[in-house]
Amino acid sequence: MTEFKRAIVRIPGPDAAAGLTTAGLGRPDHSLLLSQHSVYVETLRRLGLEVEVLPAASGFPDSYFIEDTAVVTPEVAMIARPGAPSRRGETAAIEPALAKHRPLARIEPPGTLDGGDVLFAGGRFFVGLSERTNEDGARQLGRILESHGYSWTAVQVGRGLHLKSFVNTLGGRNLAVTAGFESGEIFREFNRIVLDPRDGYAANTLWINGTLIMPKGFPRVHEKFADLGLPIIEIDTSEMRKMDGGLTCLSLRF
Ligand code: CIR
């Protein structure tokens, strides 16, 4: 899983402001949300990915945070079972798109799992136990991963949304982490780039084939990431942020 060739995204629906949020940043402006989303899609294309754009899914205001609906490896697409009941119906609409590319496996009740809790870094998987992903869901995913030769580790997320709200790969052994993950055993083998607490949102930076896509407006983080010597692209995600979303959430990459 070193190079991504494809991504699947979904257009934000007109009801996007009705999605789940704790941000307290106000309602997203729909036309700005759409234009920020299209910049994201164009950026992935510019980086060489073939991007499939799915239509808005009516009745599912969070469905453009499509990362949460599945976990894809070169061998299999594991259909998630979102922890938020309002998002559970989103998975039916992702299955046909993924079935064109991979055999499917499914997380079954009582397991819950959001793709935002699943991080692939340093050749292995880390699965966040969070408000959205429970132990049963993590174990089910882990068993499927093990059957394909992967190892995985469960990580307590504590307060906050998903593991990838706090920890993301910057390629190789480099991780962006928020202060809560600065020390501790689980990520000890990684070079952890610890973000200032004011910059926590930028921990959700997206590595695409050696380029970092980071949210606009975090100069301290940009400076730290620049030391890695990778190209950096900044994207404005102000409207997704109002709905607790960031860069990784907006696509499934494989
Ligand atoms: C939610 O609360 O489910 C959405 N409003 C945001 C999901 C963000 N997804 C992600 O971080 N992978």
Side-chain angles (χ1 to χ4, degrees), residues 20 62 65 67-68 87 116 132 161-162 243-245 249:
L20 301 168
D62 281 311
F65 297 124
E67 166 176 70
D68 292 320
R87 300 198 58 188
R132 302 290 176 87
L161 185 51
H162 291 127
M243 304 310 296
D244 288 344
C249 325

Side-chain angles (χ1 to χ4, degrees), residues 68-70 78-84 87-88 91 106-115 132-134 136-137 140:
D68 292 320
T69 63
M78 292 157 277
I79 305 300
R81 185 166 180 271
R87 300 198 58 188
R88 227 157 257 166
T91 55
R106 291 178 186 81
I107 304 300
E108 307 286 354
T112 63
L113 180 119
D114 277 19
R132 302 290 176 87
T133 296
N134 66 17
D136 188 80
Q140 289 185 45

Side-chain angles (χ1 to χ4, degrees), residues 48-242:
L49 269 56
E50 192 169 309
V51 184
E52 182 174 0
V53 180
L54 302 178
S58 154
F60 295 104
D62 281 311
S63 57
Y64 62 104
F65 297 124
I66 198 167
E67 166 176 70
D68 292 320
T69 63
V71 176
V72 187
T73 73
E75 301 80 11
V76 63
M78 292 157 277
I79 305 300
R81 185 166 180 271
S86 66
R87 300 198 58 188
R88 227 157 257 166
E90 293 176 23
T91 55
I94 191 64
E95 289 199 13
L98 285 171
K100 288 188 282 181
H101 302 287
R102 298 287 191 274
L104 302 183
R106 291 178 186 81
I107 304 300
E108 307 286 354
T112 63
L113 180 119
D114 277 19
D117 276 314
V118 182
L119 169 70
F120 184 72
R124 49 209 299 262
F125 282 89
F126 296 90
V127 184
L129 300 174
S130 69
E131 284 171 11
R132 302 290 176 87
T133 296
N134 66 17
E135 285 189 23
D136 188 80
R139 264 200 302 274
Q140 289 185 45
L141 186 90
R143 275 197 294 273
I144 304 166
L145 291 172
E146 284 166 11
S147 76
H148 293 286
Y150 295 101
S151 58
W152 68 284
T153 307
V155 184
Q156 288 292 344
V157 174
R159 287 165 74 89
L161 185 51
H162 291 127
L163 177 60
K164 283 189 282 192
S165 314
F166 305 106
V167 183
N168 282 278
T169 182
L170 301 175
R173 298 262 147 202
N174 299 311
L175 286 184
V177 303
T178 56
F181 290 89
E182 175 173 11
S183 55
E185 282 299 284
I186 288 185
F187 296 110
R188 69 183 174 283
E189 76 224 46
F190 290 90
N191 169 38
R192 284 175 273 198
I193 297 178
V194 185
L195 307 192
D196 185 289
R198 289 167 292 178
D199 296 332
Y201 178 73
N204 193 259
T205 282
L206 175 59
W207 178 95
I208 297 285
N209 301 345
T211 294
L212 300 177
I213 308 179
M214 65 173 288
K216 191 171 161 197
F218 296 89
R220 283 180 295 260
V221 180
H222 191 124
E223 207 176 304
K224 287 186 184 192
F225 289 174
D227 288 341
L228 297 171
L230 300 176
I232 299 174
I233 299 172
E234 292 197 9
I235 288 192
D236 194 351
T237 53
S238 64
E239 304 313 288
M240 293 84 174
R241 188 178 184 182
K242 291 175 180 171

